[in-house]
Amino acid sequence: MLVPLTVMLLVAAGVLGLVAAHHLIRRRLVDDPLILVGAAIELGLVVQLVYGLSQSGSIVDGSERATFVAYLFTVLVIVPAAVFIAIKEKTRWAMGVVLGGAVVVAILLARIQQIWSLNA
């Protein structure tokens, strides 16, 4: 995988988590900066998906390759789903969902990098 891209995505997921935690503490709802950080993460995840799919053939173990590809697709869904729920949910806990989504994205990115580094 592209390690600099993965590091940037991990940092962006951290920023999204911090913005969501700030909004949660301040009892604020979804705003433009939160959506922009989410969109930037999605753009990076699409680039990672394309590159990961093109290089997934170098993972020898079939089950590890399937897990790798499944994680690449799964991580794409997390941020839009969390932001959509936060837009629809009009309580302060909507930001808790976004914060949880940021944590899940970071965990999946770390696991994607781990699978890649162990098998490629």
Side-chain angles (χ1 to χ4, degrees), residues 43-90:
L43 182 62
L45 290 174
V46 169
V47 171
Q48 189 177 38
L49 171 73
V50 171
Y51 182 77
L53 289 176
S54 69
Q55 300 296 317
S56 66
S58 65
I59 299 176
V60 178
D61 185 15
S63 64
E64 288 291 322
R65 185 182 318 119
T67 302
F68 178 76
V69 171
Y71 282 162
L72 284 175
F73 281 105
T74 301
V75 75
L76 280 174
V77 178
I78 304 299
V79 174
V83 171
F84 178 76
I85 290 170
I87 289 170
K88 291 298 184 181
E89 180 67 33
K90 299 297 182 194

Side-chain angles (χ1 to χ4, degrees), residues 15-16 19 23 28 30-39:
V15 169
L16 180 65
V19 170
H23 283 28
R28 295 177 59 193
V30 177
D31 59 359
D32 289 343
L34 189 126
I35 292 174
L36 289 174
V37 172

